[in-house]
Amino acid sequence: MSKKNKDIEIRVEASEKTINGSQVTVNQLFIGKKQIGEVVEKGLKSFDYEMSGGFKGSVKTFDEAVELIIRQWNLQE
C-alpha cells in the first residue's frame, strides 16, 4: 500500500541582517510556524543555506538552495 502525497505550504520571509559588517537579505523558510532553514545571498551567483538541523552549504541559485532545504526536511520527517 502506498501513501498519498500531501501538499505542504512553504512560506518564505525576507529580512535584513548585518553579517560581518554588511547588510544582507536573509530568506527564512517556514512550514507552518516552524522554521526549516534560511538562505543568504553572498554574491551574484552564490547562495549559502543553513538548515534547522545545523547543516550548511553553498549553491549557485536561490531555487537550488530552497530545494535542498525542502528535500532534507522531507527526509527527516
Side-chain angles (χ1 to χ4, degrees), residues 8-60:
I8 297 173
E9 185 176 323
I10 296 174
R11 187 175 77 246
V12 179
E13 293 182 6
S15 63
E16 294 288 326
K17 286 188 180 179
T18 303
I19 298 176
N20 296 331
S22 61
Q23 284 287 101
V24 294
T25 301
V26 177
N27 295 291
Q28 299 172 327
L29 279 71
F30 291 91
I31 294 180
K33 293 182 180 180
K34 182 179 180 183
Q35 181 179 349
I36 61 169
E38 55 186 31
V39 180
V40 178
E41 184 175 0
K42 288 293 190 178
L44 188 58
K45 290 188 177 182
S46 178
F47 293 86
D48 288 348
Y49 63 92
E50 182 175 351
M51 296 178 208
S52 58
F55 185 76
K56 298 179 181 182
S58 183
V59 293
K60 292 182 179 180

Side-chain angles (χ1 to χ4, degrees), residues 1 4 11 19 28-29 38 41 43 45-46 49 62-64 66 68-70 72 74-75:
M1 219 168 146
K4 289 186 178 182
R11 187 175 77 246
I19 298 176
Q28 299 172 327
L29 279 71
E38 55 186 31
E41 184 175 0
K45 290 188 177 182
S46 178
Y49 63 92
F62 177 77
D63 291 338
E64 189 177 357
V66 171
L68 285 170
I69 291 171
I70 294 169
Q72 189 63 31
N74 196 25
L75 287 173

